[in-house]
Amino acid sequence: MGRSVIVHENFLRRVTAGDLPAGRAPSGPLPPALAVSLYRSGCLTRHLDRTSRAMQAAGTGFYTIGSSGHEGLAAVAAALRPTDMAFLHYRDAAFQIQRAEQVPGQTIAWDMLLSFASSSDDPISGGRHKVLGSRALFIPPQTSTIASHLPKAVGAAYAIGAAKRHRPEHAILPDDAIVYCSFGDASANHSTAQGAFNAAQWTAFQSIPMPLLFCCEDNGIGISTKTPRGWIAATFANREGLKYFACDGRDIYDTYATALAAAEYVRRRRKPAFLHVRTIRLYGHAGADMPTTYLPKAEVEAEEAQDPLLHSVRLLSQAGALTPPEALEIYQHTADRVTRVAAAAVKRPRLRDAAGVMASIVPPARACRPTNGPTTAARAAAFGGDLRAMEEPQIMSRLINWALTDLMLTHPEIVMMGEDVGRKGGVYGVTQKLIQRFGPDRMIDTLLDEQSILGLAIGMAQNGFVPMPEIQFLAYLHNAEDQIRGEAATLSFFSNGQYTNPMVLRIAGLGYQKGFGGHFHNDNSVAVLRDIPGVILAVPSNGADAARMLRECVRLAREEQRVVVFLEPIALYPMRDLHEDKDGLWMRRYPDPSEVIALGEVGVTGTGEDLAIVTFGNGVYLANRALTRIEAAGIRARIVDLRWLSPLPKEGLTRAVAGCRNILVVDETRHSGGVAEALMAHFHETSGAQLARSTAEDSFIATGPAYAATMPSAEGIAEAAISLAGNGSKNRARGKA
Ligand SMILES: Cc1ncc(C[n+]2csc(CCOP(=O)(O)OP(=O)(O)O)c2C)c(N)n1
Ligand SMILES: [Mg+2]
């Protein structure tokens, strides 16, 4: 017999017999009507779990992680406001059900059953996942990667204070809201979680508002691995700046009183707190998991004897709020109701095809207030002497700095965050003077933790900001890439476009830095960014393009709610010359702020039809250097700058190479998993041209004289071009003769 049946039968038998578990008498501020409401939410939670299992057995439901044993979380919900954004642990159905009581017009059982049934009517994910969440209840859905939601909860909490100072157009959290974030006891150990606790403490330590209530639901186990007894209290009770509260989650009176005190502390003091709720886990971890395979049966039974619903029946009876027979009636009535509603829910339509599944990968566009751009006076005040320098060609890092300045002047909701972006102005000076121009509120020098930087950005985006986080070097994105891959990129997908976290992530990267860094600072792989559905990856090759592309990136984030990665080639930041010293050919004038390069618009220089060199970033620079030799060999070439690496601008590429007999792909990223693989496949499928590629080796990058030895060079490009197109051009010449 499954444990859910055993627990159900125990409940019926013990309530009927008046055989209720012992415990503390009810006390504290929980009023009788609310106590009954919490019990009702607990019953609904329980029956939704039971029905979910039945649906899976019948093939009408698909996933059965449950909330049984964690019903006490309803009392935590009741202690909060429904506008306190809640980033929930997957066992928090009781929380969501109780929150629905606080908001008129909710049909919570129906909504959750639609989600269990993976119906496309499911109001939160549109049938993409059985997931908790609701737009009306301020509960963004969470991915199943444990702990990855904690960094953004820190960001959202920070965003409440930031929005109080400068409220962005699309802010949704009230000034006096707090953020709530729950997780399991095993998850509390995850380095991502630890980073988030630390980031919250680090922030609060500086008296910066951090109204964040962490909640650890401690059922003593993670799948089959026990949390050492006492560990959560031992490690969290005395943390700097993180006030600790503890309660027994089986006792709704204790839980409500403690959660109320914790919420009050966070709301008034604007400081973080840690609420430790002792719970139990009924029915094992999920699905077919049988706890008796790794725990002694007696232990499982002892846990089941502590069923929180049995405790609630006792407490309600002792408080005079509800008699056991009344409690039993509610329990059974709820069971009947859930069965009835489920029978209707399983008949609702489901997603069937790829287009349906994919419809929410790209978030919907949103209406934004029109912006006029900064006044001449505002620009003069911000740029000062730089305005005169704009008359002359400049290096890329400077042009990016100016583009950022104009964008921040135009859009007050832009905020930058990263290691050393503020006072120092970035490792390469790209964000210099921005802190003087816009203040520390908009130029946030963060702590040294990439997950926290991206979490801050994601959380702020959820409260209407347009964050532009910076990762100092591409190699250090990998510390935190799940914040983009598993978090930022998926939010629109499985909230059916209802929650978004638009941003422009700036990363300094790629190779060719002479004499600096080796493989740490010259990471030349973008594979981890290119395969994330919905994420846009842009790489400029010169300063003017960088400025124009950045403007489009901000528009894409602000108006179309996209997650954009803007990868800046470090080696091109200071590049002045192309062929020889002081020729100044790689500098550009600052393009007028109205000039934009649209997503998908590729760059083409030259009109030659013998050869198209298709490349990006440093490759564009190298191809331009190689051009003299290529042309001297009688080959008429054009250079195509991809600019937008992902999604691949297929139409633009096809137009750019039209009429070319040969295509040479030059790719500074690695041979395996590099951009060339996609480009070769695209041209193979769409063009009759002869193809060749020149890519980096499958190697890390060395420092010292061999710094560029593993990557394409101007000489190598010229040789590859001549060997590919040399004959072609001779043929053309012969044909014409
Ligand atoms: C990063 C990550 N690693 C592993 C898993 C697989 N996993 C899912 S739940 C879980 C245990 C979590 O235990 P706990 O935090 O105590 O929560 P509980 O299930 O007990 O409520 C694990 C290991 C995951 N979802 N994410
Ligand atoms: Mg646990």
Side-chain angles (χ1 to χ4, degrees):
M1 200 181 334
R3 301 313 306 178
S4 67
V5 179
I6 294 169
V7 170
H8 171 64
E9 289 180 353
N10 280 349
F11 182 85
L12 297 178
R13 183 175 40 77
R14 290 185 65 183
V15 174
T16 309
D19 169 24
L20 299 170
R24 236 173 55 163
S27 69
L30 180 61
L34 183 54
V36 173
S37 165
L38 297 182
Y39 171 69
R40 285 182 184 279
S41 294
C43 289
L44 181 53
T45 303
R46 183 64 56 88
H47 291 303
L48 285 170
D49 272 2
R50 296 182 58 235
T51 304
S52 166
R53 289 175 164 255
M55 284 164 69
Q56 184 160 24
T60 53
F62 304 92
Y63 187 59
T64 60
I65 201 148
S67 302
S68 294
H70 289 234
E71 289 83 355
L73 271 294
V76 179
L80 300 173
R81 297 178 186 165
T83 47
D84 292 337
M85 187 171 270
F87 297 86
L88 294 185
H89 184 41
Y90 47 73
R91 285 198 204 285
D92 280 351
F95 182 105
Q96 180 163 331
I97 289 165
Q98 187 62 37
R99 177 165 279 196
E101 289 293 309
Q102 300 172 329
V103 178
Q106 298 300 304
T107 51
I108 189 72
W110 174 240
D111 294 353
M112 289 177 113
L113 284 160
L114 288 171
S115 174
F116 296 3
S118 294
S119 166
S120 44
D121 290 352
D122 158 28
I124 186 59
S125 82
R128 291 178 181 82
H129 201 3
K130 177 196 169 186
V131 71
L132 299 175
S134 159
R135 176 74 198 191
L137 303 179
F138 282 68
I139 302 177
Q142 300 309 326
T143 171
S144 79
T145 308
I146 49 95
S148 69
H149 58 308
L150 272 69
K152 65 182 175 181
V154 175
Y158 179 88
I160 295 173
K164 203 168 170 180
R165 298 188 292 276
H166 311 279
R167 193 159 179 86
E169 181 184 2
H170 297 284
I172 55 172
L173 295 173
D175 284 350
D176 58 355
I178 70 172
V179 168
Y180 172 79
C181 176
S182 52
F183 45 88
D185 50 298
S187 306
N189 299 292
H190 201 279
S191 61
T192 307
Q194 292 288 331
F197 302 136
N198 184 66
Q201 292 172 256
W202 184 88
T203 309
F205 190 67
Q206 305 169 69
S207 300
I208 297 166
M210 181 48 62
L212 174 56
L213 179 57
F214 289 113
C215 176
C216 179
E217 299 175 31
D218 181 4
N219 55 25
I221 198 163
I223 305 187
S224 67
T225 304
K226 285 195 180 180
T227 294
R229 194 181 291 272
W231 170 244
I232 296 294
T235 181
F236 286 102
N238 293 299
R239 288 213 182 191
E240 173 61 41
L242 188 62
K243 184 142 170 89
Y244 176 80
F245 296 83
C247 61
D248 180 349
R250 294 164 304 179
D251 178 339
I252 51 177
Y253 286 82
D254 182 28
T255 303
Y256 180 71
T258 312
L260 211 53
E264 174 81 357
Y265 170 86
V266 174
R267 200 177 307 278
R268 287 224 172 163
R269 307 278 298 272
R270 316 309 285 169
K271 286 193 178 298
F274 187 97
L275 175 62
H276 179 190
V277 182
R278 185 76 178 94
T279 63
I280 61 167
R281 190 189 73 181
L282 298 170
Y283 321 161
H285 176 67
D289 177 48
M290 288 290 289
T292 43
T293 59
Y294 50 80
L295 292 174
K297 192 163 174 224
E299 201 174 308
V300 173
E301 288 174 346
E303 188 106 322
E304 289 169 352
Q306 291 297 314
D307 182 346
L309 286 189
L310 288 170
H311 276 285
S312 286
V313 174
R314 170 183 60 78
L315 288 160
L316 289 164
S317 163
Q318 288 172 340
L322 202 68
T323 63
E326 286 169 334
L328 200 57
E329 197 190 313
I330 289 174
Y331 181 88
Q332 281 173 319
H333 176 78
T334 309
D336 296 343
R337 181 161 70 94
V338 172
T339 309
R340 247 188 353 263
V341 178
V346 296
K347 297 196 183 120
R348 300 306 303 159
R350 295 192 167 93
L351 293 173
R352 295 268 171 223
D353 55 20
V357 172
M358 293 168 70
S360 58
I361 291 175
V362 171
R366 67 182 171 192
C368 291
R369 270 198 293 265
T371 46
N372 299 320
T375 60
T376 312
R379 287 191 88 221
F383 283 112
D386 282 0
L387 277 182
R388 267 194 315 281
M390 279 180 196
E391 303 302 318
E392 301 298 325
Q394 302 287 348
I395 56 173
M396 183 196 272
S397 56
R398 206 144 189 223
L399 296 192
I400 293 178
N401 176 274
W402 291 344
L404 293 174
T405 303
D406 266 323
L407 286 163
M408 289 184 87
L409 284 169
T410 309
H411 305 296
E413 64 272 40
I414 292 180
V415 179
M416 294 193 201
M417 60 280 287
E419 290 147 16
D420 310 307
V421 295
R423 279 172 198 81
K424 181 173 165 66
V427 174
Y428 294 96
V430 175
T431 54
Q432 262 171 15
K433 299 189 199 163
L434 296 182
I435 196 163
Q436 285 82 14
R437 290 169 183 162
F438 301 105
D441 251 16
R442 297 182 64 195
M443 290 303 301
I444 305 171
D445 274 322
T446 63
L447 76 177
L448 205 173
D449 177 26
E450 284 73 20
Q451 299 212 73
S452 293
I453 293 168
L454 296 179
L456 178 60
I458 296 172
M460 290 189 82
Q462 291 197 31
N463 198 30
F465 289 93
V466 174
M468 297 187 74
E470 181 189 284
I471 298 288
Q472 215 161 56
F473 289 97
L474 180 55
Y476 308 139
L477 169 70
H478 306 295
N479 276 272
E481 78 197 36
D482 178 56
Q483 288 296 311
I484 298 298
R485 173 178 292 272
E487 286 291 343
T490 64
L491 185 63
S492 172
F493 173 68
F494 70 120
S495 70
N496 212 7
Q498 297 172 89
Y499 282 102
T500 57
N501 36 217
M503 68 171 76
V504 180
L505 165 58
R506 294 180 40 254
I507 309 177
L510 300 175
Y512 298 104
Q513 291 184 80
K514 271 191 195 122
F516 175 70
H519 76 272
F520 304 110
H521 300 94
N522 292 270
D523 189 338
N524 65 329
S525 173
V526 293
V528 293
L529 290 166
R530 279 187 45 241
D531 75 339
I532 308 176
V535 168
I536 294 167
L537 174 59
V539 182
S541 65
N542 65 74
D545 276 13
R548 295 185 187 104
M549 289 166 72
L550 258 178
R551 294 165 188 157
E552 171 73 342
C553 292
V554 167
R555 189 197 67 75
L556 287 162
R558 181 172 171 269
E559 297 179 11
E560 300 190 17
Q561 311 202 74
R562 302 295 296 266
V563 175
V564 186
V565 180
F566 191 74
L567 179 59
E568 300 169 5
I570 301 172
L572 296 178
Y573 276 153
M575 193 62 80
R576 296 172 167 272
D577 307 324
L578 178 62
H579 297 297
E580 54 205 50
D581 248 14
K582 304 230 174 355
D583 69 12
L585 287 176
W586 213 251
M587 294 196 290
R588 299 285 187 275
R589 278 187 57 171
Y590 182 61
D592 185 88
S594 62
E595 289 180 28
V596 169
I597 292 175
L599 174 65
E601 197 182 313
V602 303
V604 184
T605 45
T607 52
E609 296 199 334
D610 297 332
L611 174 70
I613 303 178
V614 179
T615 183
F616 61 92
N618 292 291
V620 178
Y621 175 78
L622 296 172
N624 273 281
R625 278 175 73 105
L627 207 53
T628 322
R629 252 187 80 190
I630 294 169
E631 285 173 343
I635 298 167
R636 297 180 194 166
R638 67 180 76 171
I639 297 174
V640 177
D641 183 352
L642 183 55
R643 291 178 177 147
W644 307 98
L645 273 55
S646 187
L648 212 57
K650 292 183 177 171
E651 287 170 19
L653 278 173
T654 299
R655 272 199 304 275
V657 301
C660 285
R661 287 177 283 280
N662 298 286
I663 299 173
L664 174 65
V665 171
V666 175
D667 176 13
E668 64 190 288
T669 68
R670 296 180 192 142
H671 189 75
S672 304
V675 184
E677 289 180 350
L679 289 170
M680 294 296 279
H682 168 73
F683 290 126
H684 175 75
E685 287 166 357
T686 57
S687 129
Q690 277 203 95
L691 304 177
R693 61 177 155 159
S694 166
T695 73
E697 303 288 342
D698 284 330
S699 170
F700 302 107
I701 287 172
T703 197
Y707 72 95
T710 57
M711 289 177 291
S713 63
E715 299 71 46
I717 293 169
E719 275 157 32
I722 293 165
S723 113
L724 174 68
N727 289 341
S729 60
K730 278 188 211 113
N731 292 344
R732 171 175 48 74
R734 267 201 297 276
K736 274 195 183 153

